Amino acid sequence: MTQEKFAVTGMSCSACSAHVEKSVSALKGVQAVSVNLLTNSMQVEYEEAVVSEKDIIKAVKSGGYGASPDKAEGKKEAAAEDARTESTEALRQMKFRFLFSLCFLIPLMYLSMHHMFWEWFGLPIPSFITRYFHGTENAVTFALTQLLLLLPIVFANQKYYKNGFPSLFRGHPNMDSLIAIGSGAAILYGVFALYRIGYGLGHGDLATVEHYSMDLYFESAGTILTLITLGKYLETKSKGRTSEAITKLIGLAPKTALVVRDGQELEVPVGEIAAGDCIAVKPGASIPVDGVITEGSTSIDESAITGESIPVEKKEGDTVISATVNKTGYFRFRATKVGEDTTISQIVRLVEEASASKAPIARLADKISGIFVPTVIAIALIASTIWLLTGATAEFALSIGISVLVISCPCALGLATPVAIMVGTGKGAENGILIKSGDALETAHSIDTVVLDKTGTITQGAPKITDVLPLAADKDTLLRVAYSLEKQSEHPLAEAVVSYAESQEITALESTEFQAVFGRGISARLGGKQYFGGNLAYLKELGFLQADEQEALEKTVSQLADEGKTPLLFAEEGSVLGILAAADTIKPTSAEAIEAFRELGIQTVMLTGDNARTAEAIRKKLNIPEVISEVLPQDKERKISEFQSTGKKVAMIGDGVNDAPALTRANVGIAIGAGSDIAIESADIVLVKSDLLDAVTAIRLSRAVMRNIKENLFWAFFYNSIGIPLAAGALVWLGLRLNPMFGAAAMSLSSVCVVSNALRLKFFKPTKKKN
C-alpha cells in the first residue's frame, strides 16, 4: 500500500473538493482519499500494482482540475517557499482584480443609480448626465455606457466563467458556476433590455423604453463580480494566516551549517550534512540537525520545539535538537539525525499531515457540499418559475433567481472544519503538542477517562536519592562509603547514589574485594575495613544486628517503603552507618495536571507494574482516584479494553515500549516525547516537553477546536438556511426582498466570517504551571 500527497489546482469551493474526491475514489485500487480545500492538497492511499500515479492525476484532470505529485521529500523548504510565492502572487492578482473592477464599478453604480444618490445624500446631478443620459431620448446611450463600463469588470473576472461554465457542462457545478450563471443571467437580461429599448425607440413605444431603461441589471452583474472578488481576497488573506504555524516551523531551521572537515570549518548547505559529520555552532546560531555534543558546553533555547522559554544547560554527551538556538558558548557536536529524520522535519510533517487530514465531523459537511450547488441551481429555477406562474414580471422572477444563486455559499461549509483544524494543530505545535490527525483532535474532546502510566509519565523515570539518614556515622562518611561501594555496582539504584554523591562533591575511597550478592546487596574492603550495602534482609543475613536495632530499622524501612521509596542500608562490621532512600520522583507538574483533569470532569487512573505499596504511596501524594498496580505489560491493553467496554472514552498516556499496545487500543494515545520511538509511533498525540500539563492542554485545545468547528458549521448552515429562502422571495409578503447585490455581499462575507472565527483559536492559552 502506497500513500502519496498531491497538489490540486483549480478548486474554488467544497463542491470542487467533493468532486475531486469522488473521481479519485472511483478508481480501482484506491483505498482512501482525503482532499483538503484549505491547503489545495490531496492524500491518496492506493495499491501501486493496481493503479498508478498517472491514473490518479488523469482522474483529477478529467474533472477539470489540475494535479501533480507533491514536492519530493527533502525539498520541503523549497516547496514551502514556492507555495508562499504562489500564494503571494495569487493574492496580488486578486487585489488588482478587485481594485480594477472597483474603478469601473463606481462610475457604473453612479450612472445607473445617480437619482438615488441625489435622493439619499442630496448630491447634485452633473449637467452632462442630465443632458446625455436622462430621458427616453438618451436611453440607448444610458444603457450602452453601462454595458461598456461593465465589460472591463467581466474581463477582469473572467475566471468565474472559465471555471464555472465548464464545470456546469460536465455535470459538476461549483461556486464559480453559481457566480457565472447569476452574473451571466443579469448581463444577458441587460443586453435583452438594450434591444427592447432600441425597438421601443424605433417604433415610438416610449413606455417600453422607459420600462427597460430602469431594469438593466448591468450594475447588479458588476457588483456581484466585484464583491465576490473582494470576498475571495479577504478569505485568501485570512486563510494564509491559518498556516502561519507551519511556515514558522519550516523557517526555524538554518539553511547552512559549519561542518568541520580536515580541521577546517566549512559553511555548507544543511542538505549536504551526513550522519556522523562534526558540526560547529557559534553563539547565537541555530542548530541545523539533531546530534550529540562532543566538545564544549552551552545553554540552548529550545522554545521553538518545546515551548519552554528557559534555556537548557548542555554539556558533552547531551543531545541537541535541530532548529533550537545556541545562546552562549561555542561547541561542536556529532550529527545523528539529518534531512527528513531531524526533529523539526518530523514535527513539520506531523503538523502538515494533521492539517491535511479530515475530522469525522467534516464528513457531514462534505456530503452536503457534494449536492449543494446542483440543489441551489434547482431552487433558483423553481423559485423563478413559481413567481412567473403566480403572475410576477419576468424582471422580478429573474432577480429572484439571481439572488438565490449569488447568496448561497458552499465555501463556508467547506472551510468550516479544515481552517479550525489547521489553526488548532499549528497552535498545538507552537506549544510542544504534536497532534497527528484531525480524527485524534476531534476524539480528544470527548475523553472522560485518562489512564496514566507511572514511570516516566507521572514520575521522572529515573531514581534519585530523596533521603539521607545517618545513624552510626555523619552524613559525609555515610555518603563516602555508599559512593565507594556503589561506584562499582551495575544495579539501577547505584547510578542514583553515585550521581547524588558527585553532586555533593564526595570523594570515593579505594576499594578491594568487591562482591555483589544478587537480590541482596554488595560488599567491599575500603581502607582495610569491610563494608556492606543493600536491603534489610541482607544485613539480617550477616547477623550483626541487635534485636532493638533491627526493630528500629524495620520501622524506618517500612515507613520509607510506605512513601514509595526504596531504602538502601550501609554498614561496617558490627554497626549500621545509615540509610539512603531512593525513589522515582514525581514530576513537578504531575499533581497540577491530575487536578486539572479533575476540573475538566475527567477521571484519572494510574496503571503501573509497580508493587501495590509504591503505587498506593503515589496515589496518596497526588490524590489519584483509582490505581491499578502490578499490571504486566501485556495486560495494559486489556485494562484499556475493559474501561472502553463500560462506555468510557479513554486516553492512554505513556512513554515505554510496553505502553505501545495500550496507546494503540485507547481512543486517543498520548506519548511522552522523551519516551521510546515505538510509543511515539503508536500514539495519536506526542508531548514534546514530556510534561503532563501538556496532556491537559491537548484536551482543552481539542475542546476549543471542536467548539469552533461547531460554531462554523452552525453559521454556514444558518446562513444558507436563512439566506436562500429570503433570496427566493419567501418573505416578500412581509415586504422583505433581497436584492442580488446584497446577496453577493452576504455570500462574500460568509466565508470571511468562518475563517475569522477559526483564527480566534490563535488566542488559545496553554495550561501553565502555577507559581
Side-chain angles (χ1 to χ4, degrees), residues 361 412-413 415-417 419-420 703-719 750 753-761:
I361 196 171
L413 278 172
L415 291 170
T417 301
V419 288
R703 291 183 178 184
V705 169
M706 288 308 300
R707 185 165 55 247
N708 194 280
I709 288 173
K710 288 173 182 175
E711 289 167 357
N712 286 345
L713 287 174
F714 171 79
W715 165 251
F717 284 120
F718 174 79
Y719 164 80
S750 63
C753 287
V754 165
V755 177
S756 299
N757 185 50
L759 288 172
R760 289 192 306 112
L761 288 168

Side-chain angles (χ1 to χ4, degrees), residues 190-400:
V191 173
F192 167 74
L194 185 57
Y195 276 98
R196 292 294 293 161
I197 289 169
Y199 173 85
L201 286 173
H203 291 78
D205 187 356
L206 297 183
T208 297
V209 174
E210 187 172 356
H211 171 74
Y212 281 103
S213 62
M214 299 305 293
D215 275 318
L216 287 168
Y217 279 99
F218 288 137
E219 80 285 353
S220 291
T223 305
I224 288 168
L225 292 170
T226 305
L227 286 179
I228 294 296
T229 300
L230 172 62
K232 280 287 181 186
Y233 170 73
L234 294 174
E235 177 190 318
T236 304
K237 197 171 183 180
S238 298
K239 278 161 65 177
R241 290 180 59 200
T242 65
S243 58
E244 281 178 357
I246 294 175
T247 305
K248 284 179 183 175
L249 284 170
I250 292 172
L252 287 173
K255 294 178 175 59
T256 61
L258 290 175
V259 178
V260 181
R261 289 176 182 163
D262 299 324
Q264 299 291 316
E265 293 181 1
L266 304 174
E267 188 170 354
V268 301
V270 170
E272 293 180 12
I273 297 174
D277 278 351
C278 179
I279 298 161
V281 184
K282 295 179 180 179
S286 292
I287 296 169
V289 295
D290 295 6
V292 178
I293 295 177
T294 56
E295 180 185 326
S297 61
T298 185
S299 63
I300 292 177
D301 179 1
E302 296 184 340
S303 59
I305 303 297
T306 66
E308 185 58 59
S309 58
I310 300 171
V312 181
E313 298 296 324
K314 299 280 185 176
K315 60 184 185 305
E316 285 184 31
D318 288 341
T319 58
V320 290
I321 303 171
S322 53
T324 55
V325 180
N326 180 26
K327 300 295 286 183
T328 54
Y330 170 91
F331 70 94
R332 292 182 177 184
F333 73 95
R334 185 183 74 259
T336 55
K337 291 182 180 179
V338 299
E340 293 300 310
D341 294 328
T342 63
T343 300
I344 189 66
S345 293
Q346 290 181 44
I347 289 173
V348 170
R349 177 178 58 80
L350 285 174
V351 174
E352 282 182 338
E353 287 177 359
S355 299
S357 67
K358 287 186 178 179
I361 196 171
R363 289 169 196 154
L364 173 63
D366 285 349
K367 286 179 182 177
I368 294 171
S369 298
I371 60 169
F372 185 86
V373 175
T375 303
V376 167
I377 294 172
I379 291 172
L381 289 171
I382 292 168
S384 297
T385 303
I386 289 173
W387 280 110
L388 281 172
L389 293 175
T390 55
T393 63
E395 295 87 350
F396 180 86
L398 179 67
S399 72
I400 289 290

Side-chain angles (χ1 to χ4, degrees), residues 296-544:
S297 61
T298 185
S299 63
I300 292 177
D301 179 1
E302 296 184 340
S303 59
I305 303 297
T306 66
E308 185 58 59
S309 58
I310 300 171
V312 181
E313 298 296 324
K314 299 280 185 176
K315 60 184 185 305
E316 285 184 31
D318 288 341
T319 58
V320 290
I321 303 171
S322 53
T324 55
V325 180
N326 180 26
K327 300 295 286 183
T328 54
Y330 170 91
F331 70 94
R332 292 182 177 184
F333 73 95
R334 185 183 74 259
T336 55
K337 291 182 180 179
V338 299
E340 293 300 310
D341 294 328
T342 63
T343 300
I344 189 66
S345 293
Q346 290 181 44
I347 289 173
V348 170
R349 177 178 58 80
L350 285 174
V351 174
E352 282 182 338
E353 287 177 359
S355 299
S357 67
K358 287 186 178 179
I361 196 171
R363 289 169 196 154
L364 173 63
D366 285 349
K367 286 179 182 177
I368 294 171
S369 298
I371 60 169
F372 185 86
V373 175
T375 303
V376 167
I377 294 172
I379 291 172
L381 289 171
I382 292 168
S384 297
T385 303
I386 289 173
W387 280 110
L388 281 172
L389 293 175
T390 55
T393 63
E395 295 87 350
F396 180 86
L398 179 67
S399 72
I400 289 290
I402 294 171
S403 295
V404 171
L405 290 170
V406 298
I407 198 172
S408 55
C409 189
C411 283
L413 278 172
L415 291 170
T417 301
V419 288
I421 286 177
M422 176 165 270
V423 177
T425 52
K427 194 68 186 177
E430 283 177 20
N431 291 285
I433 301 165
L434 305 182
I435 301 164
K436 293 186 179 181
S437 69
D439 200 341
L441 190 61
E442 178 175 340
T443 307
H445 93 283
S446 61
I447 292 300
D448 54 28
T449 304
V450 169
V451 177
L452 306 164
D453 174 49
K454 181 184 80 71
T455 306
T457 301
I458 294 175
T459 64
Q460 298 285 6
K464 292 182 179 179
I465 298 301
T466 57
D467 300 81
V468 180
L469 306 174
L471 295 174
D474 58 57
K475 180 180 176 181
D476 284 353
T477 302
L478 171 61
L479 288 176
R480 187 170 292 107
V481 170
Y483 182 27
S484 304
L485 289 172
E486 298 289 3
K487 195 176 181 182
Q488 301 172 80
S489 174
E490 295 179 356
H491 193 277
L493 294 178
E495 190 177 334
V497 174
V498 170
S499 178
Y500 181 78
E502 288 177 348
S503 72
Q504 300 296 310
E505 298 183 352
I506 302 295
T507 55
L509 299 170
E510 189 176 339
S511 65
T512 57
E513 300 177 23
F514 176 82
Q515 186 179 3
V517 182
F518 181 75
R520 289 288 186 265
I522 54 178
S523 66
R525 296 193 72 83
L526 306 174
K529 279 189 177 183
Q530 190 75 18
Y531 289 88
F532 307 89
N535 55 31
L536 182 59
Y538 182 46
L539 295 191
K540 284 181 181 178
E541 286 177 7
L542 294 173
F544 53 73

Side-chain angles (χ1 to χ4, degrees), residues 64-82:
Y65 307 95
S68 61
D70 206 15
K71 290 275 184 178
E73 293 295 333
K75 298 181 180 177
K76 196 155 285 184
E77 194 168 323
E81 187 60 40
D82 290 347

